[in-house]
Each structure stands twice: as C-alpha cells, then as structure tokens.
C-alpha cells in the first residue's frame, strides 16, 4: 500500500491520551516540539524525547528485573516451606498419630482436661521446676499424735535401703539409692491428727509401716521407702499411734 504524504488536513479532535499519566518531562518536550520556531530547537526536542524514552525504558527494565528476582526468591521460599509442611505431615502419618492420641495427651493422671497440650506441659514443667509442696497431692499416711499442735512434717525417700535418720540430719542408713527429701504437705484433721501428702510418683497403696523413732515412721512398698518425720521428737512419746 502506497503511503500518502500529502494529507493537507490538520490533526483535530480530543486527545485520547490521559494527561495525568504523562510525565512532566514528556509534557515539556511535547510543548517544545509543537511551539519552537526554529528547526534546530524542534530537532533537539525530538532528540531529547528519544533519549528520555530510552532512559524510561531502562528504568522500567531494571524494575522488571528486580521484580523477577523477587518473584524467584519468593517461589524458592514457598517451595521450601511447602516441602517442610509436607515432610512434617508425612512424619505425622508415619507415626500413626491420630486425633484421639492428641486429645488423650491433654488429660493428666488425675483426669484433669487441659484446653491445649501446651497448657498441660507448661503446668507440668512449672511443678517440676518449682518443686514446691503444692506438688504433693496424694495421701500416704494418716496418724494420731499427742503433740497437740499443728506439727511440721518431713518426708525422705529412697530405693532398696532404709535410709533412716533423725530429724534435722542428712539421710543415712542401710545402703539404698536415690535418697532425698521430697515435697510434702500436711493436712491437719485436728491438732492431734494429720494426713501426709506426697507427689503422685511417690504414692503407696498398701505400705508396711514401722515406727523407727518416737516421731519417725518408715513406709516400705516394694523397693521404695518413705521416711516420715512428725513434729518434735522430744514432744512425742509412746502414746503416739498409727
């Protein structure tokens, strides 16, 4: 098709270009091309337009390259995180973990149900770390005494040995291992009767009880022993009963 370079009509009508999308630099160059009197100024404006367009294209290319690099990095991170989730899921399936196991893990030995497994673990850790008398919840021994006061108690435990010692002295005895004082708490039923509480792991169902001193008792069940000291040795006498 032959081009017609002899169109005498002028360009008229509204511009389809959105002015708010044209940069100020391009507006100035367009104004120079339209309004400059001398040809050399029009040519210079056209040359500047070409150079400015090239500069804009370069900036756009750099932005595009940066976005492409970012997209690649995000894709790598996405793939890595997705694979991690897949691996964890496979490990869960491989371990045959079921919903019932997770539910049961939130229930402690006393039947207390925690809202989350973390809540139960935090509570357990707190008891272990603090090692306070509040951890003593199980009654192993109830005694009537004649000291007529809210007497203090002390409980020492050991394995395969008596480990008997008077109140206030380090545990000693006939061999044994793991001899140590454990958290204990008295429940005063009256001024002359109390129940001894110890942590669950030291609970005894039907121990053999031996009185080893006026205010001291040895409880034996299997290989485990408990030495319980009640109040003041000087105040206790033979009338104290189990």
């Amino acid at each position: 098709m032959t081009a017609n370079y002899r169109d005498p009509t002028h360009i008229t009508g509204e511009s389809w270009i959105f002015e708010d999308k044209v940069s100020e630099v391009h507006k100035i160059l367009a104004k120079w091309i339209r309004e400059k009197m001398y040809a050399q100024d029009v040519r210079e404006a056209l040359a500047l337009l070409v150079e400015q367009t090239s500069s804009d294209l370069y900036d756009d290319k750099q932005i595009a390259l940066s976005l492409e690099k970012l997209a690649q990095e995000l894709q790598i991170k996405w793939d890595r995180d997705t694979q991690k989730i897949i691996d964890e899921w496979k490990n869960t399936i491989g371990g045959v973990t079921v919903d019932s196991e997770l539910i049961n893990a939130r229930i402690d030995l006393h039947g207390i149900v925690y809202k989350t497994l973390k809540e139960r673990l935090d509570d357990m850790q707190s008891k272990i770390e603090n090692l306070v008398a509040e951890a003593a919840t199980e009654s192993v021994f109830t005694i009537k005494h004649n000291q007529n006061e809210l007497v203090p108690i002390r409980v020492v435990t050991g394995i395969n040995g008596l480990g008997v010692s008077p109140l206030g002295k380090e545990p000693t005895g006939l061999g044994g291992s793991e001899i140590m004082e454990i958290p204990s708490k008295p429940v005063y039923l009256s001024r002359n009767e109390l129940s001894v509480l110890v942590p669950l792991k030291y609970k005894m169902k039907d121990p053999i009880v031996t009185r080893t001193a006026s205010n001291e008792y040895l409880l034996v069940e299997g290989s485990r022993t408990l030495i319980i000291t009640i109040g003041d040795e000087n105040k206790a006498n033979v009338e104290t009963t189990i």
Side-chain angles (χ1 to χ4, degrees), residues 83-236:
Q83 187 60 47
K84 181 179 179 182
I85 294 173
I86 292 174
D87 292 341
E88 290 178 352
W89 175 250
K90 288 181 178 178
N91 290 336
T92 301
I93 297 299
V96 197
T97 301
V98 295
D99 291 344
S100 60
E101 289 182 280
L102 297 177
I103 294 173
N104 289 338
R106 299 184 357 243
I107 306 174
D108 69 8
L109 293 174
H110 302 289
I112 298 175
V113 180
Y114 292 81
K115 293 181 180 178
T116 63
L117 180 57
K118 183 180 185 304
E119 182 178 332
R120 182 193 174 187
L121 294 175
D122 288 347
D123 185 59
M124 290 172 58
Q125 182 177 352
S126 176
K127 285 184 171 66
I128 293 173
E129 289 179 351
N130 293 333
L131 202 62
V132 294
E134 281 70 17
T137 59
E138 306 301 315
S139 176
V140 292
F141 190 55
T142 299
I143 184 173
K144 291 183 179 180
H145 58 84
N146 66 338
Q147 299 185 42
N148 196 33
E149 58 181 321
L150 304 180
V151 294
I153 64 172
R154 179 193 185 207
V155 180
V156 174
T157 185
I159 295 178
N160 294 326
L162 296 181
V164 179
S165 65
L167 180 64
K169 296 184 180 180
E170 290 302 318
T172 59
L174 305 178
S177 62
E178 299 183 21
I179 299 175
M180 61 181 179
E181 185 170 354
I182 62 173
S184 59
K185 183 168 63 177
V187 175
Y188 298 106
L189 306 177
S190 70
R191 296 182 67 84
N192 289 302
E193 185 177 8
L194 63 84
S195 181
V196 178
L197 303 186
V198 297
L200 180 64
K201 66 178 295 185
Y202 302 107
K203 181 179 180 179
M204 294 182 175
K205 294 182 178 180
D206 190 22
I208 299 174
V209 182
T210 304
R211 185 176 182 180
T212 56
S214 61
N215 68 327
E216 197 167 63
Y217 299 85
L218 173 65
L219 281 64
V220 179
E221 186 173 72
S223 61
R224 171 68 65 183
T225 62
L226 291 177
I227 303 117
I228 301 176
T229 305
I230 309 293
D232 189 341
E233 181 179 11
N234 296 323
K235 294 182 179 180

Side-chain angles (χ1 to χ4, degrees), residues 31-89:
K31 179 178 174 61
W32 286 351
I33 293 172
R34 290 189 179 103
E35 298 180 1
K36 288 297 182 181
M37 177 184 297
Y38 299 107
Q40 68 180 41
D41 293 327
V42 175
R43 288 196 299 271
E44 180 62 22
L46 289 171
L48 291 173
L49 177 61
V50 172
E51 292 174 348
Q52 182 62 44
T53 302
S54 176
S55 176
D56 292 340
L57 290 174
Y58 177 83
D59 291 340
D60 291 343
K61 183 178 180 181
Q62 295 305 307
I63 293 174
L65 290 174
S66 297
L67 290 174
E68 181 180 7
K69 181 180 178 181
L70 177 61
Q72 292 174 349
E73 292 175 350
L74 290 174
Q75 184 63 50
I76 293 174
K77 185 178 185 302
W78 172 268
D79 292 342
R80 183 172 60 248
D81 293 345
T82 301
Q83 187 60 47
K84 181 179 179 182
I85 294 173
I86 292 174
D87 292 341
E88 290 178 352
W89 175 250

